[in-house]
């Protein structure tokens, strides 16, 4: 008969068994001891085999959740139309910086303004057939009993012009005065008498040259002609000059010079310097009426006329 083991020995074996069979299982973040010490000790004392429960602790697994249907996928966005990339732009050359404008003295305000429709006169000249040299009689006939502007309401006579229809020199004034309106002839009043002396001092007679005005009717009270009045008469003045075809023109005063030259520069700065009107030499000078009011300026006007005489090869008092 075998001897029963010593209790201390049995306890050591149980402890050894516990040491060997300490099982750990991780469940939801914890560890659990799966050993029944009492069962193990009783089985050991009875010589029975180790309980299956102690051979390997059962693994308690959490049942897998039932599969869920995936959420419906969002419809894909519609494809974007391909936008062609613009061709590469060549680098624009850098513009040179313009020089700073020089300070200039402001120009004097225009003494009068010619309306745009008469700047320059673009239509056919009255009484002029294209390709032919017009005649003064045809232009005068075209002018007729003119009612083209308001000056017609106060006039007595149209002052068309007088002199040699083929003159080499033409004098152009501003407009008729009271005496001219009564007689229908340009420059026959006080200013006209002074002009006659100037013409004779140059070696001409009035019959040698031609005299006319920008406007053909007298402005009321001898006032300055207004832009619409200048615009109405200017085509006839240009037709006259085309018919005569002079070699030189003397523009008497600001209105004659500014109308023919399209230049609003004051006559005090225009005078004394040759300009051109459609290829014709033009000398601006003071109007005789101004010289009657400012006698000291007669010397300057005479200097201007001497340049005209030199142009024609004349000396003082020499008749052609």
């Amino acid at each position: 008969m075998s001897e029963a083991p010593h209790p201390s020995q049995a306890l050591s074996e149980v402890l050894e068994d516990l040491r060997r069979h300490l099982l750990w299982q991780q469940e939801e973040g914890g560890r659990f001891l799966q050993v029944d010490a009492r069962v193990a000790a009783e089985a050991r004392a009875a010589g029975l085999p180790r309980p299956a429960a102690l051979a390997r602790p059962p693994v308690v697994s959490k049942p897998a959740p039932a599969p869920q249907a995936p959420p419906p996928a969002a419809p894909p966005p519609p494809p974007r139309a391909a936008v062609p990339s613009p061709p590469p732009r060549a680098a624009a050359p850098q513009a040179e910086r313009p020089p700073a404008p020089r300070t200039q003295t402001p120009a004097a305000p225009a003494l009068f303004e010619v309306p745009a429709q008469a700047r320059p006169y673009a239509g056919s000249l009255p009484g002029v057939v294209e390709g032919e040299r017009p005649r003064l009689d045809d232009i005068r006939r075209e002018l007729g009993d003119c009612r083209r502007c308001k000056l017609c309401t106060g006039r007595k006579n149209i002052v068309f012009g007088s002199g040699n229809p083929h003159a080499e020199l033409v004098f152009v004034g501003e407009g008729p005065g009271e005496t001219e309106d009564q007689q229908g002839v340009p420059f026959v009043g006080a200013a006209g008498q002074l002009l006659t002396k100037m013409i004779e001092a140059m070696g001409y007679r009035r019959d040698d040259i031609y005299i006319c005005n920008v406007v053909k009717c007298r402005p009321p009270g001898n006032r300055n002609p207004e832009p619409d009045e200048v615009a109405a008469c200017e085509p006839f003045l240009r037709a006259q000059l085309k018919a005569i075809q002079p070699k030189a023109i003397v523009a008497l005063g600001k209105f004659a010079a500014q109308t023919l030259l399209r230049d609003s520069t004051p006559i005090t700065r225009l005078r004394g310097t040759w300009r051109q009107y459609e290829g014709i030499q033009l000398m601006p000078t003071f109007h005789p009426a101004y010289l009657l009011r400012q006698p000291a300026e007669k010397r300057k006007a005479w200097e201007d006329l001497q340049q005209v005489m030199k142009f024609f090869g004349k000396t003082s008092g020499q008749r052609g």
Side-chain angles (χ1 to χ4, degrees):
M1 181 174 176
S2 61
E3 187 177 357
H6 193 275
S8 62
Q9 183 179 357
L11 181 59
S12 297
E13 291 176 359
V14 172
L15 293 175
E16 180 65 14
D17 193 9
L18 287 174
R19 184 184 66 81
R20 289 197 309 264
H21 297 284
L22 285 176
L23 301 176
W24 299 87
Q25 180 179 1
Q26 182 174 352
E27 174 67 20
E28 294 185 2
R31 298 170 185 258
F32 299 91
L33 182 61
Q34 301 291 327
V35 177
D36 191 339
R38 184 180 62 80
V39 174
E42 291 176 352
R44 184 69 177 173
L48 298 173
R50 188 184 331 182
L54 295 180
R56 185 173 297 273
V59 178
V60 180
S61 59
K62 187 175 181 179
Q68 298 180 358
R80 291 186 180 179
V83 179
S85 301
R89 297 177 60 183
Q94 186 173 3
E96 296 183 2
R97 181 179 240 172
R102 294 185 299 177
T103 304
Q104 297 182 352
T105 304
L111 301 181
F112 80 107
E113 182 69 18
V114 178
Q117 63 267 26
R119 213 176 30 244
Y121 183 75
S124 59
L125 298 178
V128 177
V129 178
E130 185 176 358
E132 297 182 8
R133 182 175 179 174
R135 297 186 307 169
L136 290 175
D137 289 344
D138 294 335
I139 299 169
R140 179 64 185 88
R141 189 177 303 109
E142 180 74 18
L143 180 62
D145 184 25
C146 184
R147 301 284 170 180
R148 293 171 177 82
C149 77
K150 57 185 177 294
L151 291 181
C152 67
T153 59
R155 71 162 184 244
K156 290 184 173 62
N157 288 292
I158 293 177
V159 183
F160 181 71
S162 66
N164 183 355
H166 302 290
E168 63 178 9
L169 178 61
V170 172
F171 286 80
V172 179
E174 173 183 318
E178 182 179 8
T179 306
E180 290 78 13
D181 180 45
Q182 292 173 353
Q183 299 184 24
V185 180
F187 283 93
V188 290
Q193 294 173 15
L194 177 57
L195 177 61
T196 300
K197 293 179 181 179
M198 295 165 63
I199 292 171
E200 292 175 347
M202 296 175 66
Y204 291 99
R205 296 173 304 217
R206 282 184 63 116
D207 292 339
D208 297 328
I209 53 89
Y210 192 87
I211 305 174
C212 58
N213 288 299
V214 173
V215 295
K216 312 304 182 187
C217 300
R218 179 196 178 196
N222 292 343
R223 64 162 171 77
N224 293 333
E226 296 178 353
D228 61 315
E229 298 161 359
V230 173
C233 264
E234 183 186 16
F236 293 95
L237 169 62
R238 293 182 179 275
Q240 286 174 291
L241 295 175
K242 186 174 182 64
I244 298 167
Q245 297 184 9
K247 296 179 181 178
I249 300 170
V250 175
L252 300 170
K254 62 185 179 183
F255 286 94
Q258 293 177 353
T259 299
L260 293 175
L261 296 177
R262 306 295 183 194
D263 190 338
S264 61
T265 303
I267 189 63
T268 53
R269 291 166 52 191
L270 279 176
R271 58 148 296 271
T273 302
W274 280 110
R275 306 289 293 272
Q276 280 202 348
Y277 164 79
E278 297 188 0
I280 302 172
Q281 292 294 105
L282 187 149
M283 174 60 66
T285 192
F286 294 122
H287 194 283
Y290 172 78
L291 297 177
L292 291 176
R293 300 191 302 269
Q294 302 290 337
E297 301 285 30
K298 290 182 180 179
R299 179 181 58 83
K300 295 180 181 178
W302 178 240
E303 291 174 355
D304 301 340
L305 297 181
Q306 284 179 316
Q307 293 193 60
V308 179
M309 294 161 56
K310 184 179 179 179
F311 175 77
F312 286 109
K314 286 180 171 291
T315 59
S316 179
Q318 178 184 352
R319 295 250 177 125

